Amino acid sequence: MTVVLGFDESPGAQRALRIAIEVAAAFDERLVLVYGAAAPGPTGEEYRSHHEAIRQAGRAGLQQAVAAADRAGVPTVVEVLDAKPAQALIDAASRHAARVIVVGSWGESPMRGALLGSTPHKLLHMSTVPVLCVPPET
């Protein structure tokens, strides 16, 4: 089993990284670091340039998470997936037989998350794997 973390360098994701490392270390499991890199727009040259820029940003951000996990002695797997964040996390959790999906929140209101479709909100309704939603530090 594994612990899957959605990481995008946001304040909520920073705290979620610390919690995910603690959980993975406590259960002696790998940490799967996931970045959903679905680009806006359906096709064409603009799509390709957005897509590559988003993938590069995801890879760069995940390196910070890998370094933090390495310092804690937690083995990692990195996945930059061509899917929206919630679906990328669900897919990774399925492939890696995840114990839990850990995701940070932005501290927005539940109503705003429901109306705008935040990743944590989507995961809580779509995932068959338990979801640990970590608020940002106050």
Side-chain angles (χ1 to χ4, degrees):
M1 296 189 106
T2 61
V3 174
V4 171
L5 170 68
F7 189 76
D8 64 2
E9 298 184 279
S10 67
Q14 297 290 343
R15 186 169 184 212
L17 171 62
R18 291 193 302 275
I19 300 298
I21 288 171
E22 289 176 17
V23 172
F27 289 102
D28 196 29
E29 294 183 346
R30 284 182 308 156
L31 177 59
V32 179
L33 301 159
V34 178
Y35 185 86
T43 59
E45 187 60 37
E46 184 176 337
Y47 171 84
R48 282 189 288 281
S49 65
H50 281 134
H51 181 256
E52 188 51 36
I54 291 169
R55 289 181 63 81
Q56 287 176 2
R59 279 190 225 98
L62 290 173
Q63 290 310 308
Q64 170 194 354
V66 168
D70 285 348
R71 286 190 297 276
V74 173
T76 57
V77 173
V78 172
E79 294 194 4
V80 178
L81 303 175
D82 294 331
K84 292 183 179 179
Q87 192 60 52
L89 291 164
I90 289 168
D91 292 348
S94 176
R95 273 194 316 284
H96 294 280
R99 172 184 301 271
V100 64
I101 298 172
V102 181
V103 65
S105 72
W106 290 76
E108 60 192 13
S109 74
M111 181 61 80
R112 181 176 167 88
L115 290 173
L116 298 179
S118 71
T119 297
H121 187 264
K122 288 177 185 174
L123 286 170
L124 290 171
H125 291 282
M126 295 170 41
S127 178
T128 58
V129 174
V131 176
L132 174 57
C133 184
V134 180
E137 293 181 285
T138 54

